[in-house]
Amino acid sequence: MKEIIYLDTNLVNSLLAQLNSGLITKLVNEDGESDARTEGSTEQATKKGSVGISALLKAEGDYSSTTIDNYNFVFSKSNKNLVETALDDYSLDLLINGLEAKQLIKLTDYKDGDLISTSGELTAFNFEQLAEASDLEEIGFMLPGYDEFKSLRSEYSKIKDKQKYLARTKDIQKELETNAWNNFDILKNMSAYLKKLLPETNLVKINDTFSILPLEFLRVQNIQLSFMQLGKRKIKMLGICSSTIDEQTTNDLSYMSDGNKIIKHAPTTILSIMLSSFGVINVGDHLVRPIAIYFED
């Protein structure tokens, strides 16, 4: 059984169509059902009789009693179902079986353009979530040593450009660099920038592959995906190798003095520098366009 975490249904159907020389991707049956019923009833009864006032003084008169029972019952039911007979999960199984039958899936020695499959430990990053989680201002009072860190950082910002405090500035700078809370500050700034470069996406690392996942094809919430990293199960990915990092990205951007190079390389270069600095991607890693990511027991 597969527990599917991510599934690009458009890519699955596209590949199936190429394998099978055409594919009906979706057949939708629409069932409508409506039932309404109204019931009503009115009953009226009139009774007449005489009334005695007392034994000594007796008078007779008529009285009437009317009973009306009126009720309405309305039952309404409307149900509309959309049934997709080409199930996405079954389509994935068909695709995997078809690719395996033609030996089109590579397990090692990936090259750009290869259909690949890998299995290993899951590491997931959502930079919007990271930016929020690393902003510790609201819970700083709960964290030991955080107030002292903020005080030190505040002092540094006030004296860093003043020559007469040069020695003190250097001392504070060293303290900040070795302070554990400084890592959260760096993480917050980096994540805030990366969420602009990678909006509405997750970045996933499995073995020597990394993938950018559009949230629209993700089947679990971000927080659930984060906790899945703590499990011991290996996760599988089927995808297409898009490119390979064959050299370390340098921080020296002077080689992009040419305007054309800036337009072509600047976004990916800056992204590579930031991800490499945190060890998210390394030389030899493959960027993979994911088709499906799932657990299989």
Side-chain angles (χ1 to χ4, degrees):
M1 297 290 290
K2 291 183 178 65
E3 181 186 352
I4 298 176
I5 306 303
Y6 173 93
L7 184 63
D8 187 335
T9 53
N10 295 334
L11 193 50
V12 167
N13 288 325
S14 174
L15 293 172
L16 270 176
Q18 295 175 63
L19 276 177
N20 299 324
S21 300
L23 172 73
I24 298 176
T25 60
K26 184 181 292 186
L27 177 62
V28 178
N29 293 329
E30 183 174 317
D31 295 332
E33 190 177 325
S34 180
D35 187 6
R37 182 172 68 253
T38 301
E39 296 181 6
S41 175
T42 300
E43 295 181 6
Q44 181 171 321
T46 302
K47 297 179 180 179
K48 293 184 178 181
S50 60
V51 176
I53 298 176
S54 70
L56 298 176
L57 179 63
K58 185 175 182 181
E60 292 186 355
D62 292 336
Y63 75 91
S64 66
S65 173
T66 300
T67 301
I68 297 176
D69 184 9
N70 187 20
Y71 66 90
N72 287 291
F73 174 71
V74 178
F75 173 71
S76 179
K77 180 182 179 182
S78 180
N79 185 30
K80 185 177 183 180
N81 296 318
L82 294 178
V83 181
E84 297 189 3
T85 57
L87 298 176
D88 295 333
D89 295 6
Y90 182 60
S91 296
L92 174 61
D93 287 335
L94 288 177
L95 177 63
I96 292 174
N97 292 336
L99 293 174
E100 288 177 342
K102 296 186 177 183
Q103 299 182 341
L104 294 176
I105 300 177
K106 296 196 68 174
L107 303 179
T108 58
D109 300 324
Y110 316 136
K111 295 180 181 178
D112 296 353
D114 285 344
L115 279 158
I116 70 109
S117 178
T118 188
S119 175
E121 181 181 343
L122 169 69
T123 306
F125 307 88
N126 179 275
F127 295 108
E128 182 176 0
Q129 184 184 51
L130 276 173
E132 295 293 333
S134 55
D135 188 352
L136 305 179
E137 291 299 322
E138 295 183 3
I139 60 170
F141 68 95
M142 300 173 56
L143 307 172
Y146 188 70
D147 286 339
E148 291 81 355
F149 166 72
K150 288 197 299 181
S151 176
L152 201 62
R153 187 177 57 185
S154 177
E155 181 184 356
Y156 177 77
S157 65
K158 292 177 182 178
I159 68 173
K160 64 179 180 179
D161 296 324
K162 298 179 180 179
Q163 188 65 28
K164 63 178 180 178
Y165 296 113
L166 183 60
R168 176 58 179 162
T169 300
K170 290 182 178 179
D171 290 341
I172 295 177
Q173 188 174 10
K174 289 181 180 178
E175 287 186 60
L176 289 174
E177 289 174 352
T178 57
N179 192 301
W181 295 120
N182 192 51
N183 292 332
F184 282 90
D185 216 33
I186 295 172
L187 181 62
K188 180 183 68 176
N189 295 330
M190 183 199 78
S191 300
Y193 183 71
L194 284 175
K195 76 176 183 179
K196 297 177 182 178
L197 294 181
L198 299 170
E200 300 297 319
T201 59
N202 277 321
L203 190 146
V204 166
K205 187 78 184 290
I206 304 173
N207 296 333
D208 59 349
T209 70
F210 66 100
S211 303
I212 299 170
L213 314 183
L215 296 183
E216 62 180 306
F217 296 123
L218 197 64
R219 290 193 173 186
V220 297
Q221 294 181 334
N222 285 322
I223 189 63
Q224 187 174 1
L225 185 63
S226 297
F227 277 108
M228 282 179 174
Q229 301 177 88
L230 306 179
K232 297 181 180 180
R233 291 188 298 171
K234 289 187 176 181
I235 200 165
K236 291 186 176 183
M237 179 177 65
L238 177 70
I240 302 171
C241 182
S242 298
S243 60
T244 302
I245 300 176
D246 52 9
E247 62 181 19
Q248 185 68 42
T249 304
T250 176
N251 293 346
D252 182 11
L253 301 181
S254 59
Y255 77 96
M256 289 195 297
S257 56
D258 185 347
N260 290 332
K261 288 186 177 179
I262 292 177
I263 294 174
K264 182 178 180 180
H265 297 291
T268 53
T269 299
I270 293 172
L271 185 59
S272 295
I273 291 171
M274 298 188 74
L275 294 177
S276 298
S277 65
F278 275 82
V280 177
I281 60 174
N282 303 288
V283 175
D285 283 351
H286 305 276
L287 172 63
V288 174
R289 181 185 178 188
I291 299 170
I293 299 175
Y294 55 94
F295 294 103
E296 189 168 42
D297 299 320

